[in-house]
Amino acid sequence: MQKIVVVGSLNMDVVIETPHMPERGETVSGRSISRVSGGKGANQAYALGKLGGDVTMIGAVGKDAAGDALLHNLQSVHVDASGIRRIEEGTTGQAFIAVDDDGDNSIIIIAGTNGLVTKELIDEKADIIRRSDIVIMQFEIPLDVVEYVKEMAVKEGKTVIVDPAPAVPGLPEHFWSGIDIIKPNETELSILTGMDLKTRAELVKGAKVMIDKGVKNVIVTLGKEGCLMVNKEREEFFGPYQVKALDTTAAGDSFTAAFALALSQGKPYGEAIVLGQKVSSIAVTRKGAQTSIPTMEEVQTIWKE
Ligand code: RIB
């Protein structure tokens, strides 16, 4: 099995269940409030560990209770946390998440120590990247650091997976060149390309714009509609795994992790996408970010074929 490194964010999620999202200027009575380990990077590392991958995480947390809890959670599923720096003068990243009765969410993040992940930290942990085969990143740490890691990983011949969330418009072509796989959802692809993407044909067009920018494969997750994969040779739609969603938090993170896990086991892209769909479709039936991730045994029981 190949080694995976996740370079990215760790957040303590403050989750509020609400009957519906407040409109601008509206006050809504929430049903409950809870704290759950999250952060797109940490969710991916946690999911990889829980599903049985060989994974190390690079990132930063504060020397506070949230940092302790996040590290403990990762270590509980055998994630190697030796790449995570504790920063005395910083507060661990936080996410404020409202989840409504349809399972949809709205998230506001406060970067905290995620914003203190620097090129210097990457240089200090560069051996972890060199030892890994697959490098996964998201956009909750500074983007110049994401690009720095990408350059390093491409030079070393690693498989580079970027989950471009939260999406940022107008990134230059050199940012994208050499990336093996990006995994936006349809909204993120629309932000990345500046295009209005409604129909399948438009989504394929949007994915091709990213291919022209130098990305080798684009996987667009489409929620209830399944997902789409586009590269220079082909475009393929994958049907959805139908479930009743309770909380979609970490759906994308669990997809990315399971997809990467399958690649690390030598599986082809098609099989990796199907595993991503199976895992994320289970995650959305459970509450929270890391609390929603299944084990591989659960995946095999729930989606036995
Ligand atoms: O993708 C879900 C994650 O986004 C949450 O866990 C939250 O921390 C935000 O980073």
Side-chain angles (χ1 to χ4, degrees), residues 9-15 36-44 93-97 105 107-109 114 140 163 165-166 248-254 288-290:
S9 59
L10 302 97
N11 292 329
M12 183 50 70
D13 293 352
V14 178
V15 184
V36 181
S37 293
K40 295 185 196 308
N43 294 344
Q44 292 170 9
Q94 297 172 80
F96 298 88
I97 307 182
N105 63 37
I107 306 181
I108 299 174
I109 53 172
N114 296 315
E140 287 184 335
D163 191 342
T248 54
T249 310
D253 302 333
S254 53
Q290 290 169 32

Side-chain angles (χ1 to χ4, degrees), residues 16-31 98:
I16 293 168
E17 291 184 289
T18 176
H20 64 88
M21 294 297 169
E23 298 289 327
R24 185 178 298 220
E26 183 190 5
T27 301
V28 175
S29 283
R31 294 212 172 94

Side-chain angles (χ1 to χ4, degrees), residues 225-258:
E225 306 298 321
C227 75
L228 162 71
M229 178 173 142
V230 178
N231 57 32
K232 280 209 168 119
E233 285 79 45
R234 67 191 174 113
E235 51 207 63
E236 189 175 347
F237 274 92
F238 293 75
Y241 280 71
Q242 302 280 5
V243 290
K244 166 117 185 61
L246 191 65
D247 178 356
T248 54
T249 310
D253 302 333
S254 53
F255 180 100
T256 300

Side-chain angles (χ1 to χ4, degrees), residues 208-286:
K208 285 187 172 164
V209 166
M210 299 311 295
I211 301 283
D212 288 343
K213 287 182 193 287
V215 175
K216 295 178 195 152
N217 298 277
V218 179
I219 297 170
V220 192
T221 48
L222 305 169
K224 289 178 199 124
E225 306 298 321
C227 75
L228 162 71
M229 178 173 142
V230 178
N231 57 32
K232 280 209 168 119
E233 285 79 45
R234 67 191 174 113
E235 51 207 63
E236 189 175 347
F237 274 92
F238 293 75
Y241 280 71
Q242 302 280 5
V243 290
K244 166 117 185 61
L246 191 65
D247 178 356
T248 54
T249 310
D253 302 333
S254 53
F255 180 100
T256 300
F259 174 82
L261 174 77
L263 290 194
S264 79
Q265 295 168 334
K267 309 241 167 76
Y269 281 10
E271 270 182 53
I273 287 173
V274 168
L275 185 63
Q277 291 183 296
K278 287 180 175 173
V279 171
S280 62
S281 66
I282 296 170
V284 301
T285 65
R286 301 172 177 183

Side-chain angles (χ1 to χ4, degrees), residues 118-152:
T118 57
K119 294 178 188 172
E120 176 264 319
L121 169 61
I122 300 302
D123 287 341
E124 187 189 306
K125 307 291 183 187
D127 261 356
I128 298 174
I129 297 174
R130 279 188 211 109
R131 282 200 306 268
S132 303
D133 305 287
I134 299 174
V135 179
I136 309 179
M137 289 177 285
Q138 330 72 33
F139 283 1
E140 287 184 335
I141 58 170
L143 290 183
D144 63 324
V145 178
V146 173
E147 189 172 12
Y148 187 68
V149 174
K150 182 214 71 175
E151 294 289 336
M152 186 185 281

Side-chain angles (χ1 to χ4, degrees), residues 77-92:
V77 291
H78 313 293
V79 175
D80 178 345
S82 59
I84 300 172
R85 180 184 275 178
R86 307 252 6 209
I87 300 178
E88 185 112 46
E89 6 11 286
T91 304
T92 298

